[in-house]
Amino acid sequence: MAKYLAQIIVMGVQVVGRAFARALRQEFAASQAAADARGRAGHQSAAASNLSGLSLQEAQQILNVSKLNPEQVQKNYEHLFKVNDKSVGGSFYLQSKVVRAKERLDEELRIQDQEDREKGQMPKT
């Protein structure tokens, strides 16, 4: 009886070990793919995040935009800037965050435009 119980335990550990190893390999491959994607398009974007102190996602949340649409960014920026003006009882801190978020999104839009222009200039083979 103990022999069978030991065999069941050993087989169970082997199955769990294989599943864990497979999951680990898949996770490693997914993280490598994500790092490669960030590496290709992210050098300038990461530099812009470091300069402004805001990530792209944080800037989008502050200005309440989901897609990088210049008109929507400008519209939301103007509204939030006016609402947070000190003369109407707003917060200078929040107004500063709005300005930084706008700068970050403007930089990201500039980077995207530059990348689009570079893609358009590449010869098609």
Side-chain angles (χ1 to χ4, degrees):
M1 181 77 166
K3 179 181 174 183
Y4 294 122
L5 186 58
Q7 287 178 339
I8 291 172
I9 291 173
V10 168
M11 288 177 60
V13 168
Q14 288 176 342
V15 168
V16 170
R18 281 190 219 114
F20 180 75
R22 186 178 314 125
L24 193 60
R25 282 192 300 272
Q26 288 175 348
E27 182 61 31
F28 182 72
S31 68
Q32 286 288 54
D36 289 344
R38 275 193 314 268
R40 282 193 301 271
H43 291 301
Q44 290 179 334
S45 185
S49 291
N50 287 340
L51 289 175
S52 68
L54 293 175
S55 69
L56 178 59
Q57 291 78 17
E58 186 178 6
Q60 286 177 313
Q61 286 178 343
I62 290 170
L63 290 181
N64 194 28
V65 292
S66 56
K67 305 243 189 240
L68 286 180
N69 179 350
E71 293 82 21
Q72 187 67 36
V73 168
Q74 184 65 32
K75 178 184 167 196
N76 289 5
Y77 164 74
E78 289 172 358
H79 170 71
L80 290 170
F81 190 84
K82 288 176 188 174
V83 168
N84 289 302
D85 191 7
K86 190 113 169 126
S87 65
V88 294
S91 165
F92 179 73
Y93 173 76
L94 292 177
Q95 197 176 40
S96 298
K97 281 293 208 181
V98 169
V99 170
R100 295 292 168 252
K102 170 86 165 60
E103 290 173 349
R104 175 64 180 94
L105 292 179
D106 285 344
E107 183 65 20
E108 191 66 27
L109 287 167
R110 186 193 64 75
I111 290 169
Q112 285 183 357
D113 287 344
Q114 181 181 359
E115 287 175 353
D116 290 344
R117 275 187 262 119
E118 288 173 359
K119 285 179 185 175
Q121 291 177 355
M122 286 185 183
K124 295 180 181 175
T125 56

